[in-house]
Amino acid sequence: MNELKTKIRVENFNFYYDKKHALKNISMNVPEHRVTALIGPSGCGKSTFLRSLNRMNDLIEHTRCDGTVVVDNVNIYDEAIDVVELRKKVGMIFQRSNPFPKSIYDNVAYGPRINNIKEKKQLDEIVERSLIRAALWDEVKDDLSKSGLALSGGQQQRLCIARAVAVDPEILLMDEPASALDPLATTKIEELIHELKEKYTIVIVTHNMQQAARVSDFTAFFYMGEQIEFDETKKIFTMPGKKQTEDYITGRFG
Amino acid sequence: MERHFQRDLEHLKSNVIKMGSMVEQNLTDALEAVLKNDAVLASKVISSDGKINQFEIEIDNGVVDLLALQQPVASDLRLILAIQKINNDLERIGDHAVNIAESAFRLVETPQDEPLLEIPNMSNIAKEMFQQALDAFIHLNAQLAQSVLESDDRIDALNRGMNAQVVRMIKKDPKSIEGGLELLRISRNLERVADLTTNIAEEVIFHTQARIVKHHAAEEKQKQ
C-alpha cells in the first residue's frame, strides 16, 4: 500500500445533515489509479462520503462539514476553490443513467462545449475518444445523431461515463452505477471500471458486495457514519480485521 | 467482452502448469539419480523442492482470491476447485521425488552390485503417467486423463511384485538388505506418485466433464 500514490487524502472529516451527524471523523487515503469501493448498509454514510469528494453535498440545504479533503495537495473545502473546476476534475456517475434529451454526440460534447471548445474537428475527436473509453463507440458510431434516450439502460450508463470522461477528469465517483442494470450490462460496466482505472482514480459506492469484491482494489466498510475498516479488497474479503466487517460481508449482520 | 476474471484464471492455470513442469523435472531427476547413481543430481532435487513449495502457496492464494472476489460458477468454479486439488497433488509428488532422491543418496553409499529389479520399469510408467496427466490438464483432454487412470493398475501390480523380489534378493544375499529396503522405499514412493497422478487425471475429468470418477463413484451409485 505504501508504494501507491495517494490521490485523495481525507482527514478527520465530519458531515452533518442539520443535527444528524452523518459522517464521523473519517480519514482515508484513496490511492491513485485504483478502484476504491465504499460498502455498508443503507444510511451508513457511504453515499454522503462519496458526494463529499466533489462537494455535491453543497447543494443540500442545512448541511455542514469539517475536516479536510485534499485532492492533489489542494483542500477542496478551501474557500478559494472553484467548485465548477473541482467537478470537472472529479466527475460523477449516478445510479440512474441520466443522459440529456439530446443526441449521443451532443451528450458527450456538452461538457467540452461549456469549456469553450467549439471547433468541430476537436469536438469530433473528443466525442470519439470518450465513447471509445466508455466502450460504447462500436455500438453507436454509425448513428451519433440518435437520441441518447433511445439507447438501452446499459448503453445509457456508458454514455454517461463517456460524458463524464469527455472533460478529462482525473477522478470518477460512481454511485451504484450498475444497480439498475441486468447482469450482462452490469458485467460490461464492471469490466469498463477495470479498464478505466488505468486513466482515472475511481471511487464507487455499491450495495452489491460481490460487485465491490469483483471491481475494487481497496474497500472501505462504513457503518452508522463511521468508517469501520479500510484495506485492500483481497484482505477485506478473505481476512477482515474487524468483526463488524466480517458480520456484514458474511450476511450475519444485526 | 472478455472479463478480467478470465485472464486471472488463465494466469492461475499457467502457474499450475509451470509448477507441474518443475515437479516433472524433479521426478525425472530423482529417478535418473537412482538409475545412474548420481548424488549430484539427487542433491539438486532436494534443494529445488523449496521452489515448488513456494509455488504451492502462491497458487493457494490465487485460488482463495478468485473464490472470494469473483464468485466463479459452473466450469470456472470446477476449474478452480480442480486447480486447488491438483496444486496439492503436485506438491505431494514433489515430496515423493525428494524421498526418491534421498534413497538415491543412500544407494550411492551402499555396494552397487544389486539389481534395481522393477524400478526402471516402474519409473518409466510413472513418468509417462505424469506427463500424460499434465498434458491432459493443459489441453483439458478427458480422454487422455482416462488413459492415466488405466495405467495405475500396472504400477500397483509391479509394486506388489517388488516385495517378493526383494525378499528373494535378500535371502540370496543377506548383505543386500540395505539396498533392498531402499528399493522397496523407492517402489512405494513411485506407487504413491502414480496414485497422486491418478488424482490429477480425475480432477481433469471432473473439470472437463463435470463427472466424478474417483472411488469409482458412478458404479457405487448404481449399486445403491
Side-chain angles (χ1 to χ4, degrees):
Chain A
M1 203 166 161
N2 290 334
E3 71 274 16
L4 293 174
K5 198 177 153 204
T6 295
K7 185 70 179 175
I8 310 170
R9 184 163 52 83
V10 181
E11 271 176 15
N12 304 324
F13 189 77
N14 288 282
F15 190 88
Y16 306 84
Y17 290 105
D18 211 349
K19 280 176 190 148
K20 192 190 166 204
H21 194 174
L23 287 173
K24 298 169 187 168
N25 224 25
I26 308 293
S27 295
M28 183 192 299
N29 286 341
V30 176
E32 189 174 51
H33 294 303
R34 290 291 183 280
V35 179
T36 298
L38 311 176
I39 62 168
S42 294
C44 69
K46 58 191 189 296
S47 290
T48 302
F49 181 73
L50 187 80
R51 287 198 308 270
S52 300
L53 301 179
N54 70 346
R55 292 183 55 177
M56 289 291 277
N57 291 327
D58 287 13
L59 307 170
I60 305 170
E61 279 181 38
H62 308 299
T63 61
R64 66 197 164 86
C65 63
D66 56 55
T68 49
V69 176
V70 177
V71 176
D72 290 339
N73 297 319
V74 176
N75 183 1
I76 64 167
Y77 283 92
D78 199 284
E79 276 178 20
I81 288 290
D82 175 347
V83 176
V84 174
E85 278 301 307
L86 169 70
R87 292 187 191 141
K88 215 171 100 186
K89 186 169 175 166
V90 187
M92 193 148 192
I93 320 290
F94 298 89
Q95 180 173 9
R96 296 190 64 104
S97 53
N98 53 355
F100 302 132
K102 292 170 178 288
S103 70
I104 293 166
Y105 186 99
D106 287 341
N107 261 283
V108 182
Y110 189 86
R113 277 177 178 142
I114 285 179
N115 290 311
N116 280 322
I117 296 172
K118 305 279 182 214
E119 200 195 327
K120 170 95 169 58
K121 191 165 166 271
Q122 201 185 349
L123 281 173
D124 285 353
E125 278 170 14
I126 292 173
V127 169
E128 178 172 347
R129 189 182 62 218
S130 305
L131 286 167
I132 287 172
R133 280 190 193 166
L136 187 59
W137 175 251
D138 287 342
E139 292 161 56
V140 301
K141 64 182 177 204
D142 296 328
D143 193 4
L144 295 175
S145 60
K146 188 159 103 174
S147 165
L149 295 172
L151 297 171
S152 72
Q155 287 173 325
Q156 286 189 19
Q157 195 59 303
R158 281 179 281 145
L159 178 61
C160 293
I161 292 173
R163 190 176 63 190
V165 301
V167 294
D168 272 332
E170 292 173 28
I171 298 166
L172 290 176
L173 307 178
M174 300 187 174
D175 194 353
E176 299 266 9
S179 64
L181 304 179
D182 71 33
L184 268 182
T186 299
T187 302
K188 278 192 181 172
I189 295 285
E190 289 180 4
E191 282 310 308
L192 181 57
I193 290 170
H194 198 75
E195 283 168 25
L196 287 170
K197 74 178 178 187
E198 275 181 35
K199 294 210 178 314
Y200 313 98
T201 299
I202 296 171
V203 185
I204 176 173
V205 159
T206 174
H207 267 299
N208 180 337
M209 264 178 302
Q210 282 74 28
Q211 182 169 68
R214 286 192 295 266
V215 302
S216 71
D217 303 289
F218 290 85
T219 297
F221 170 53
F222 281 71
Y223 183 58
M224 292 175 72
E226 287 180 46
Q227 178 189 299
I228 306 295
E229 189 167 355
F230 175 61
D231 211 323
E232 278 187 81
T233 299
K234 274 183 190 179
K235 173 127 193 319
I236 295 276
F237 283 91
T238 55
M239 293 171 273
K242 299 273 171 65
K243 179 148 193 323
Q244 275 169 300
T245 314
E246 171 100 29
D247 287 350
Y248 180 69
I249 64 173
T250 56
R252 289 183 176 84
F253 217 63
Chain B
M1 181 183 265
E2 192 200 26
R3 290 176 59 199
H4 70 278
F5 162 65
Q6 300 295 345
R7 293 192 292 275
D8 290 349
L9 188 51
E10 274 307 310
H11 178 70
L12 187 64
K13 188 183 164 194
S14 77
N15 266 349
V16 175
I17 294 167
K18 276 185 209 155
M19 179 176 172
S21 306
M22 287 162 74
V23 172
E24 183 178 6
Q25 188 64 51
N26 269 13
L27 182 64
T28 304
D29 286 349
L31 293 168
E32 190 86 353
V34 171
L35 300 181
K36 296 194 172 155
N37 269 316
D38 188 337
V40 177
L41 204 51
S43 65
K44 187 185 147 214
V45 172
I46 293 163
S47 65
S48 61
D49 189 50
K51 273 191 229 150
I52 292 172
N53 295 342
Q54 274 309 110
F55 243 111
E56 188 202 14
I57 292 170
E58 197 178 316
I59 290 166
D60 262 348
N61 289 339
V63 165
V64 170
D65 287 346
L66 286 185
L67 287 177
L69 305 181
Q70 300 294 335
Q71 307 97 40
V73 292
S75 65
D76 293 335
L77 176 63
R78 295 201 308 276
L79 179 57
I80 293 171
L81 293 176
I83 282 173
Q84 187 175 31
K85 291 187 178 176
I86 290 171
N87 184 33
N88 195 21
D89 293 334
L90 286 174
E91 192 276 333
R92 294 289 302 133
I93 293 172
D95 286 348
H96 287 295
V98 168
N99 293 347
I100 293 170
E102 284 169 353
S103 285
F105 254 130
R106 289 189 288 266
L107 278 174
V108 171
E109 288 160 8
T110 51
Q112 280 309 294
D113 47 356
E114 63 257 19
L116 291 167
L117 306 176
E118 298 293 356
I119 297 296
N121 203 0
M122 289 176 78
S123 299
N124 286 336
I125 299 170
K127 277 192 295 188
E128 197 193 335
M129 281 174 74
F130 186 84
Q131 278 161 4
Q132 283 181 346
L134 203 56
D135 264 3
F137 175 68
I138 293 168
H139 304 294
L140 301 177
N141 181 340
Q143 218 175 348
L144 192 57
Q146 190 67 44
S147 70
V148 173
L149 305 187
E150 285 147 20
S151 299
D152 191 38
D153 292 343
R154 286 155 67 204
I155 288 267
D156 286 344
L158 289 169
N159 182 45
R160 280 193 298 273
M162 276 294 281
N163 286 332
Q165 290 189 42
V166 169
V167 168
R168 269 201 301 279
M169 187 176 91
I170 294 172
K171 275 186 179 160
K172 207 168 112 195
D173 175 11
K175 286 203 300 293
S176 68
I177 186 160
E178 282 179 358
L181 288 176
E182 222 51 77
L183 292 183
L184 282 185
R185 283 195 193 106
I186 295 169
S187 174
R188 221 168 28 239
N189 274 295
L190 280 170
E191 189 271 330
R192 294 298 304 136
V193 166
D195 270 356
L196 291 162
T197 301
T198 304
N199 292 353
I200 294 175
E202 286 168 349
E203 291 306 326
V204 171
I205 294 170
F206 169 68
H207 166 59
T208 53
Q209 303 188 330
R211 208 154 57 81
I212 298 168
V213 289
K214 63 183 170 188
H215 312 312
H216 305 285
E219 293 114 83
E220 291 295 324
K221 208 170 177 187
Q222 260 181 356
K223 270 189 234 163
Q224 283 168 12

